[in-house]
Amino acid sequence: MSGESLLVWLLLGVVAGWSAGLVINGGSFGIIGNIIIGIIGSFLGGWLGSKLGISGAVVGGFSVAIVVTAVLGAVVLLFVLSLIRRV
């Protein structure tokens, strides 16, 4: 992963964490917690997407697939963590 791709996923992670906090009602870890989860989730979603051939970070631009992958990765991670927290 190049430096530009890393920066793209980091910035998308911030947006994805905030978005995931809005999507998962009651699963919030606070704004900072959601942003950190979003960053981790976006890297997870990007890694998994690249392994499945779905998407990957494009240097110099964004695509809808990149944003969807980052947000879905963050939503899934936030959902799993909220389930674990309830137990």
Side-chain angles (χ1 to χ4, degrees), residues 16-38 73-87:
W18 176 75
S19 300
L22 296 175
V23 171
I24 303 294
N25 197 12
S28 180
F29 286 83
I31 187 71
I32 301 299
N34 285 356
I35 287 172
I36 292 169
I37 290 169
V75 167
V76 168
L77 183 60
L78 187 59
F79 177 73
V80 169
L81 289 175
S82 68
L83 288 177
I84 292 171
R85 187 172 70 171
R86 289 183 190 166
V87 173

Side-chain angles (χ1 to χ4, degrees), residues 15-80:
V15 174
W18 176 75
S19 300
L22 296 175
V23 171
I24 303 294
N25 197 12
S28 180
F29 286 83
I31 187 71
I32 301 299
N34 285 356
I35 287 172
I36 292 169
I37 290 169
I39 291 169
I40 295 168
S42 106
F43 280 101
L44 180 67
W47 175 79
L48 187 59
S50 69
K51 294 296 180 192
L52 297 174
I54 297 171
S55 121
V58 176
V59 176
F62 291 98
S63 71
V64 174
I66 292 170
V67 175
V68 169
T69 302
V71 172
L72 284 177
V75 167
V76 168
L77 183 60
L78 187 59
F79 177 73
V80 169

